[in-house]
Amino acid sequence: QVQLVESGGGLVQPGGSLRLSCAASGSTWRPNPVAWYRQAPGKDRDLVARITTGGSTTYADSVKGRFTISEDSAKSTVYLQMNSLKLEDTAVYYCYAVISYQAYWGQGTQVTVSS
């Protein structure tokens, strides 16, 4: 059974940093692509960043220059390094991956930016 497990969320002050992890298990197929989405209360779930096996990355305009998505294929893990966090980055962050042509979502991890 394929699972995506996120970790690394928490409470941080504005200007701080967090690193989210998304670990895939249960499949011999390499996830491609893998993405991070986020959903704030009362809002839609929006794409934050995306990475393909070729290393191509895409970012939402709101996080460009602050967030970095990367992959450790040996660990089947994708990371989202979040720097210079702002109040508006507060949301539940979800990992999304396509594995063997099927889409999977993680359970989400809460990121709260507050002073």
Side-chain angles (χ1 to χ4, degrees):
Q1 181 179 358
V2 175
Q3 282 190 312
L4 300 177
V5 178
E6 300 111 329
S7 60
L11 174 64
V12 64
Q13 292 186 340
S17 298
L18 283 174
R19 189 178 79 157
L20 305 183
S21 299
C22 172
S25 63
S27 175
T28 57
W29 290 83
R30 185 176 177 184
N32 183 40
V34 180
W36 286 96
Y37 286 74
R38 66 186 181 188
Q39 187 168 22
K43 295 190 176 182
D44 293 335
R45 189 174 296 188
D46 294 325
L47 177 68
V48 176
R50 177 180 178 269
I51 189 168
T52 68
T53 53
S56 176
T57 57
T58 305
Y59 295 94
D61 288 343
S62 60
V63 306
K64 282 181 182 176
R66 300 189 298 123
F67 291 11
T68 302
I69 189 169
S70 62
E71 180 186 22
D72 184 337
S73 58
K75 296 182 179 180
S76 296
T77 300
V78 169
Y79 303 97
L80 184 67
Q81 178 67 43
M82 305 185 295
N83 299 327
S84 302
L85 282 161
K86 304 177 180 180
L87 297 176
E88 53 265 39
D89 294 319
T90 295
V92 178
Y93 284 69
Y94 296 92
C95 181
Y96 168 90
V98 175
I99 303 173
S100 188
Y101 306 103
Q102 292 192 357
Y104 298 90
W105 289 94
Q107 80 286 356
T109 184
Q110 176 70 47
V111 171
T112 303
V113 184
S114 175
S115 55

